[in-house]
Amino acid sequence: YDVMPSLVGSEMCIREALREYINSLIEELPLSRREIFRLSRHEHLSYKEIAERLSISEKTVETQLSRALRFLRDRLSSDGFLCLITLFL
């Protein structure tokens, strides 16, 4: 009896559920903050590149990303998901 395939399958299900949950939280961000977050995390743009693209200051980019990350961290923590995420790092 080999339990590894079922464990791997369970882990994949958990990872997918976490990914969906995090994406739903990202959708809750205010539109401009969400756009800055996506440019940073999905397109891997620097603060300077984001600032230039959106015609805003680099400090605004930094502030908005900080607020987005704090929101995500706080929600994941309060919803009990933060400890699960550390299991997959």
Side-chain angles (χ1 to χ4, degrees):
Y1 188 102
D2 188 3
V3 297
M4 286 308 292
S6 64
L7 289 176
V8 171
S10 296
E11 183 178 317
M12 289 175 61
C13 288
I14 293 169
R15 283 178 188 259
E16 185 57 33
L18 280 171
R19 186 180 349 272
E20 288 177 15
Y21 181 66
I22 291 169
N23 285 335
S24 75
L25 291 178
I26 292 168
E27 288 300 315
E28 290 182 30
L29 293 169
L31 182 59
S32 60
R33 193 171 297 162
R34 184 170 60 229
E35 182 176 14
I36 291 168
F37 181 84
R38 287 195 170 134
L39 290 171
S40 172
R41 296 306 193 252
H42 297 159
E43 294 189 32
H44 309 288
L45 298 181
S46 68
Y47 288 6
K48 182 177 181 176
E49 291 168 322
I50 295 168
E52 289 172 356
R53 183 179 287 190
L54 300 179
S55 300
I56 59 177
S57 72
E58 286 183 56
K59 184 64 177 172
T60 298
V61 172
E62 179 182 349
T63 299
Q64 292 302 310
L65 277 174
S66 175
R67 290 177 180 170
L69 291 170
R70 184 173 352 139
F71 170 79
L72 294 171
R73 186 174 46 251
D74 289 349
R75 284 292 301 274
L76 288 166
S77 178
S78 69
D79 294 343
F81 282 95
L82 202 54
C83 61
L84 269 178
I85 291 171
T86 58
L87 293 174
F88 296 103
L89 297 178

